[in-house]
Amino acid sequence: MKFPTTQNSILPIRSFIVLLIGCLAINLSLCFSSFPSSIKTLNVEGHFSFDNNEFAARDFGNRFRFLPSAVLHPKSVSDIATIIKHIWQKGPGSKLTVAARGHGHSLQGQAQAPQGIVINMESLSGQEMKVHTGRFPYVDVSAGELWINILHECLKFGLAPKSWTDYLHLTVGGTLSNAGISGQAFRHGPQISNVHQLEVVTGKGEVTICSEEQNADLFHGVLGGLGQFGIITRARISLEPAPKDDFSTFARDQEYLISAQNTFDYIEGLVIINKTGLINNWRSSFNLQDPVQASQFKSDGRTLFCLELTKNFNPGEADKIDQEIESLLSRLSYIPSMLFMSEASYVEFLDRVHAAEIKLRSKGLWDLPHPWLNLLVPKSKIHSFSEGVFGNILTDTNNGPVLVYPVNKSKWDNRTSSVLPEEDIFYLVAFLPQAVPLSTENDGLEHLLSLNKRILDYCEEANLGVKQYLPYYTTQVEWRAHFGQQWEVFVRRKSAYDPLAILAPGQRIFRKAISNL
């Protein structure tokens, strides 16, 4: 498969979306309250751990560390129901809360439960995955399963999930509790738009099967619901035929590409600002099409807009795909000498971030703070956003990539809990830096966090209608503003499925009311 990459040098930045990743500041809580001895006597198939639970007080954001009183390592869904029902039956007099933890990729402590119970959902991984072929194929999986494992299992049947995230070593329950967005979202919608059925344990400890036809309110509530209404324990995920071989391509003009009938299969853009040594530092898996001309290109002091595109093809279709790519690229505006191409297998492409993870871990760079910021920007405001953020706030992208790509709202289900801008097309903008601990320079945590705040303040002052993806707020007033008209439905669902606010305290949306009676 061919993978072209194109870059445009544009000083006045035009349409794109930005996801910001910021630096990290660590808050550590090691306080303990008296732990109910009744927890230790519960009959579960798995087990509780009361010591050495520091892993449950950390996440990828590496900023907040709240130690739980215990971690449940469940072996069955009934284990999860047992602990939640036990806390529910204790009523408002109990201070215990529960948080489900997948692969620990939250950014700001959302999957932590200070002095509460963390459920290690990965303990449920390894359960049988049931792939159903036919006209409308799907796979039934545990919510603790990693997407990379689901990919490998489905490929045995020539199938694959339709929508992904860029990083596949995340759990199903974790991404479905947010949305699950990547370059396929313009075509298939997010991952939460490709789910047929869920098994959920509510805040009352009730195990419920839900879908669009059965318990639909709970179904739509938990999808993108930030863990507030129940813990997803199993999911039925829609599949499609997987390409039989390699694919890749690269180009520009995203809004044209996502509206075209014959277009690429994956479209993600990124912004590069004042990046030094761009040619030598570009992904080693890409090959320059014109190395002589490219060697004369200077990226220092410039703002570049790049597109990463892929095209799926089967064996024997290489010549045809070359013609399609050439035709698509001919409609785009890009610097010809800055065209990079590569071929990769289907699995290699989807799991590409994991390869980077291995390299970063070997250098001790994976566990650095990740103060990421993810924004959804309405199409009508993306020009103002780019002028304000890329023109005035962000001076370089040397601390991490900045992704920018448009998404069709029609591919999302408005009955889910996800919060989106009020336009048919919006951009995902993702800033993905990593912070250097103790640094007081531009790569330090405090500096990166200040950039995040400046960007958010600008969006607020300019009234851009921006929504946070993977949102982080600390007050209910802020959450109310985030959800807007969806707040009443969100509160009603919380009252119906988790009335004691036992679940997901790390999201900081609802605080459990404690009664001394």
Side-chain angles (χ1 to χ4, degrees), residues 225-264:
L226 307 177
Q228 293 299 302
F229 314 119
I231 294 176
I232 300 172
T233 52
R234 288 194 69 81
R236 178 168 293 177
I237 300 162
S238 180
L239 304 177
E240 66 176 355
K244 298 177 182 178
D245 200 10
D246 312 13
F247 74 118
S248 58
T249 97
F250 190 57
R252 203 177 186 289
D253 245 24
Q254 301 190 75
E255 288 183 30
Y256 161 72
L257 291 174
I258 70 168
S259 63
Q261 290 296 318
N262 180 26
T263 187
F264 295 103

Side-chain angles (χ1 to χ4, degrees), residues 231-414:
I231 294 176
I232 300 172
T233 52
R234 288 194 69 81
R236 178 168 293 177
I237 300 162
S238 180
L239 304 177
E240 66 176 355
K244 298 177 182 178
D245 200 10
D246 312 13
F247 74 118
S248 58
T249 97
F250 190 57
R252 203 177 186 289
D253 245 24
Q254 301 190 75
E255 288 183 30
Y256 161 72
L257 291 174
I258 70 168
S259 63
Q261 290 296 318
N262 180 26
T263 187
F264 295 103
D265 298 293
Y266 170 96
I267 301 171
E268 263 194 13
L270 43 92
V271 178
I272 299 175
I273 301 176
N274 196 22
K275 184 77 171 180
T276 58
L278 177 65
I279 304 303
N280 294 331
N281 288 302
W282 195 258
R283 297 183 188 178
S284 59
S285 59
F286 286 90
N287 299 315
L288 271 169
Q289 298 304 290
D290 191 344
V292 175
Q293 289 294 321
S295 65
Q296 302 175 22
F297 182 84
K298 303 298 182 183
S299 59
D300 303 52
R302 308 179 72 173
T303 296
L304 304 176
F305 295 95
C306 310
L307 262 186
E308 185 172 8
L309 313 164
T310 71
K311 192 71 175 175
N312 301 347
F313 69 92
N314 296 319
E317 296 179 347
D319 292 341
K320 175 185 175 183
I321 289 298
D322 283 342
Q323 295 175 6
E324 290 185 13
I325 292 174
E326 185 176 348
S327 175
L328 287 167
L329 293 181
S330 68
R331 299 170 181 258
L332 305 176
S333 300
Y334 66 95
I335 304 171
S337 63
M338 297 302 292
L339 174 64
F340 297 72
M341 296 188 70
S342 180
E343 294 187 11
S345 72
Y346 184 60
V347 175
E348 286 173 340
F349 172 73
L350 290 177
D351 198 29
R352 65 201 180 282
V353 178
H354 183 53
E357 174 191 354
I358 294 173
K359 292 181 180 179
L360 290 172
R361 284 191 183 278
S362 69
K363 299 178 181 179
L365 298 177
W366 182 255
D367 292 323
L368 295 177
H370 295 89
W372 292 3
L373 177 64
N374 303 268
L375 302 176
L376 304 178
V377 184
K379 172 186 172 182
S380 66
K381 303 294 185 180
I382 195 64
H383 296 280
S384 298
F385 181 91
S386 67
E387 291 172 2
V389 175
F390 297 114
N392 296 305
I393 297 176
L394 201 64
T395 58
D396 64 65
T397 55
N398 290 312
N399 293 315
V402 178
L403 306 183
V404 177
Y405 55 92
V407 178
N408 288 316
K409 190 174 184 179
S410 62
K411 300 296 184 178
W412 296 61
D413 191 327
N414 61 14

Side-chain angles (χ1 to χ4, degrees), residues 446-459:
E446 292 304 320
H447 174 74
L448 294 175
L449 288 175
S450 68
L451 283 180
N452 287 2
K453 186 177 186 304
R454 288 180 62 192
I455 291 170
L456 291 173
D457 288 346
Y458 169 74
C459 292

Side-chain angles (χ1 to χ4, degrees), residues 124-264:
L124 295 176
S125 65
Q127 296 183 359
E128 182 183 5
M129 286 183 264
K130 298 180 179 179
V131 177
H132 297 260
T133 59
R135 184 179 178 187
F136 301 106
Y138 62 87
V139 60
D140 286 322
V141 298
S142 164
E145 198 63 72
L146 299 181
W147 284 99
I148 182 63
N149 296 334
I150 296 170
L151 171 63
H152 286 303
E153 181 64 23
C154 292
L155 285 176
K156 296 176 183 177
F157 300 84
L159 299 168
K162 298 176 180 178
S163 194
W164 299 93
T165 55
D166 285 345
Y167 181 55
L168 300 189
H169 292 250
L170 304 173
T171 60
V172 169
T175 63
L176 295 186
S177 294
N178 288 281
I181 308 176
S182 188
Q184 300 88 1
F186 81 96
R187 171 168 288 170
H188 297 294
Q191 289 180 322
I192 59 173
S193 292
N194 293 277
V195 178
H196 296 313
Q197 180 177 285
L198 297 171
E199 179 184 71
V200 175
V201 180
T202 70
K204 301 176 183 179
E206 299 170 343
V207 181
T208 305
I209 303 297
C210 54
S211 65
E212 290 199 359
E213 293 77 30
Q214 180 182 5
N215 300 310
D217 185 64
L218 178 61
F219 177 72
H220 294 118
V222 297
L223 291 171
L226 307 177
Q228 293 299 302
F229 314 119
I231 294 176
I232 300 172
T233 52
R234 288 194 69 81
R236 178 168 293 177
I237 300 162
S238 180
L239 304 177
E240 66 176 355
K244 298 177 182 178
D245 200 10
D246 312 13
F247 74 118
S248 58
T249 97
F250 190 57
R252 203 177 186 289
D253 245 24
Q254 301 190 75
E255 288 183 30
Y256 161 72
L257 291 174
I258 70 168
S259 63
Q261 290 296 318
N262 180 26
T263 187
F264 295 103

